[in-house]
């Protein structure tokens, strides 16, 4: 089924379901990505993605791999809705006389969609990262670390902080996304939830600029004729290829975003005042290779997500729901 023939409500349903299914399938890899990106040189708790997942299961149990998943599952549908609706809006206004969009205009539409989605993406990522990284900090804090009496040790995200001297061995107290959000709103206002907005824009806008045109052109190669749709397997592979390529391309921005949005720091981990300060300190202390931390994990997360989106479009889940429920009133 051609995407141009799909109504916006059906697209939103397809995107929402694809997001929920995708997050459920690949969230453990996303957790490993966050923890690997937050590791500093000389303080590695995990050696690789598999090592991270194995240690997480051993120390936190199976569901430890899904820390922060509830935030994503709750907000992924509105995030996809905004992104898809914005992309449709910009594509419609950039198209002339029903002609196809040029690659440049496809990139502009993707840019607009990326800028709009950060309204939901930024707070979602902010809350998710605190929960995902808690396990790494707990392991790190259980290792004996000698500290000066004035060294501040964060024992969990925002909510519990104390001054310690001597050995640091306490694990962080369990905390929910709701508690973190309330504390941020009370202490910093709405801007607390939007910390790292600039870095999120730096990641999501280029991602959309790369993904949408790349997918459209890869998918076009598989069409038997200009009017026909590409085969199912070709649309799936195009979504995977475009998603993983875009994910790796913007991984340096994702590392910066993760570091900036991590409220909780380990015993000797530095803080950052902004995007430029973060980039500068990472370059000085860890080198250029640090910007590729978690790149393979991110590719493994994004590729299936966007492949699943194409599956939903091909199967026509959104159309089926609209045609067989009261929601059909929303259709064209």
């Amino acid at each position: 089924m051609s995407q141009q023939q799909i109504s916006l409500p059906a697209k939103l349903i397809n995107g929402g379901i694809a997001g929920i299914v995708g997050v459920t399938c690949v969230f453990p890899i996303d957790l490993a990505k966050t923890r690997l990106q937050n590791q500093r040189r000389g303080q590695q708790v995990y050696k690789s993605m598999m090592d991270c997942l194995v240690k997480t299961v051993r120390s936190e149990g199976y569901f430890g791999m899904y820390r922060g998943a509830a935030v994503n599952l709750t907000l992924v549908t509105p995030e996809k809705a905004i992104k898809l609706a914005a992309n449709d809006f910009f594509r419609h206004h950039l198209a002339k006389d029903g002609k196809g969009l040029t690659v440049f205009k496809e990139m502009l539409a993707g840019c607009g969609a990326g800028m709009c989605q950060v309204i939901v993406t930024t707070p979602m990522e902010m809350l998710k990262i605190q929960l995902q990284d808690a396990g790494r900090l707990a392991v790190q804090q259980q290792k004996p670390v000698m500290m000066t009496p004035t060294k501040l040790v964060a024992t969990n995200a925002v909510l519990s902080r104390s001054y310690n001297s001597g050995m640091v061995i306490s694990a962080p107290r369990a905390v929910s996304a709701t508690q973190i959000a309330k504390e941020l709103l009370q202490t910093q206002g709405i801007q607390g939830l939007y910390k790292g907005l600039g870095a999120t824009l730096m990641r999501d806008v280029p991602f959309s600029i790369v993904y949408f045109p790349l997918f459209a052109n890869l998918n076009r190669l598989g069409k038997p004729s200009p009017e026909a749709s590409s085969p199912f397997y070709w649309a799936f592979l195009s979504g995977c290829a475009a998603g993983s390529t875009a994910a790796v391309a913007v991984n340096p921005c994702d590392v910066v975003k993760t570091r900036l949005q991590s409220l909780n720091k380990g015993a000797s981990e530095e803080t950052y005042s902004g995007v430029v300060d973060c980039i500068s300190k990472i370059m000085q202390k860890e080198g250029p290779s640090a910007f590729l931390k978690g790149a393979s994990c991110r590719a493994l997360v994004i590729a299936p997500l966007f492949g699943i989106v194409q599956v939903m479009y091909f199967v026509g889940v959104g159309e089926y729901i609209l045609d067989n429920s009261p929601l059909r009133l929303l259709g064209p």
Side-chain angles (χ1 to χ4, degrees), residues 127-207:
L127 298 175
K128 181 195 74 173
I129 285 172
Q130 315 315 315
L131 298 171
Q132 284 184 327
D133 203 37
R136 180 189 69 89
L137 291 171
V139 173
Q140 193 180 83
Q141 289 174 4
Q142 286 169 1
K143 295 180 179 181
V145 178
M146 294 304 296
M147 304 183 64
T148 61
T150 57
K151 186 71 175 179
L152 177 63
V153 180
T155 57
N156 64 37
V158 183
L159 297 177
S160 178
R161 295 180 177 180
S162 61
Y163 285 89
N164 295 272
S165 59
M167 299 288 190
V168 181
I169 58 174
S170 59
R173 180 167 54 87
V175 62
S176 69
T178 304
Q179 288 175 299
I180 297 172
K182 285 182 179 179
E183 181 69 17
L184 284 170
L185 289 171
Q186 290 172 0
T187 58
Q188 302 178 35
I190 191 67
Q191 64 266 32
L193 289 173
Y194 281 87
K195 184 178 181 181
L197 175 61
T200 306
L201 283 167
M202 283 174 53
R203 183 196 68 171
D204 289 351
V205 171
F207 178 91

Side-chain angles (χ1 to χ4, degrees), residues 243-258:
S244 59
T245 301
V248 173
V250 302
N251 194 75
C253 300
D254 191 55
V255 172
V256 173
K257 182 197 73 66
T258 299

Side-chain angles (χ1 to χ4, degrees), residues 52-264:
C52 177
L53 294 177
V54 169
K55 287 181 177 177
T56 298
V57 172
R58 285 177 180 173
S59 61
E60 304 170 52
Y62 174 79
F63 291 105
M65 295 191 298
Y66 284 88
R67 277 195 177 191
V71 178
N72 264 33
L73 291 172
T74 301
L75 297 179
V76 70
T77 299
E79 181 200 29
K80 295 295 183 187
I82 292 173
K83 185 170 188 171
L84 292 169
N87 189 57
D88 267 15
F89 174 83
F90 290 116
R91 288 179 70 91
H92 173 74
H93 284 276
L94 288 170
K96 290 184 178 179
D97 303 323
K99 295 181 180 179
L101 294 175
T102 63
V103 173
F104 177 71
K105 287 185 177 180
E106 287 179 335
M107 292 173 71
L108 284 179
C111 175
M115 292 180 69
C116 291
Q117 79 171 80
V118 297
I119 297 171
V120 175
T121 304
T122 305
M124 178 178 75
E125 292 277 315
M126 182 73 179
L127 298 175
K128 181 195 74 173
I129 285 172
Q130 315 315 315
L131 298 171
Q132 284 184 327
D133 203 37
R136 180 189 69 89
L137 291 171
V139 173
Q140 193 180 83
Q141 289 174 4
Q142 286 169 1
K143 295 180 179 181
V145 178
M146 294 304 296
M147 304 183 64
T148 61
T150 57
K151 186 71 175 179
L152 177 63
V153 180
T155 57
N156 64 37
V158 183
L159 297 177
S160 178
R161 295 180 177 180
S162 61
Y163 285 89
N164 295 272
S165 59
M167 299 288 190
V168 181
I169 58 174
S170 59
R173 180 167 54 87
V175 62
S176 69
T178 304
Q179 288 175 299
I180 297 172
K182 285 182 179 179
E183 181 69 17
L184 284 170
L185 289 171
Q186 290 172 0
T187 58
Q188 302 178 35
I190 191 67
Q191 64 266 32
L193 289 173
Y194 281 87
K195 184 178 181 181
L197 175 61
T200 306
L201 283 167
M202 283 174 53
R203 183 196 68 171
D204 289 351
V205 171
F207 178 91
S208 295
I209 289 174
V210 173
Y211 172 77
F212 284 112
L214 182 57
F215 169 75
N217 286 279
L218 287 175
N219 194 44
R220 193 176 296 125
L221 294 175
K223 293 183 178 181
S225 66
E227 296 77 20
S229 301
S230 59
F232 161 74
Y233 73 89
W234 191 269
F236 176 79
L237 292 176
S238 297
C240 290
S244 59
T245 301
V248 173
V250 302
N251 194 75
C253 300
D254 191 55
V255 172
V256 173
K257 182 197 73 66
T258 299
R259 295 284 182 93
L260 287 174
Q261 289 188 318
S262 296
L263 299 174
N264 223 15

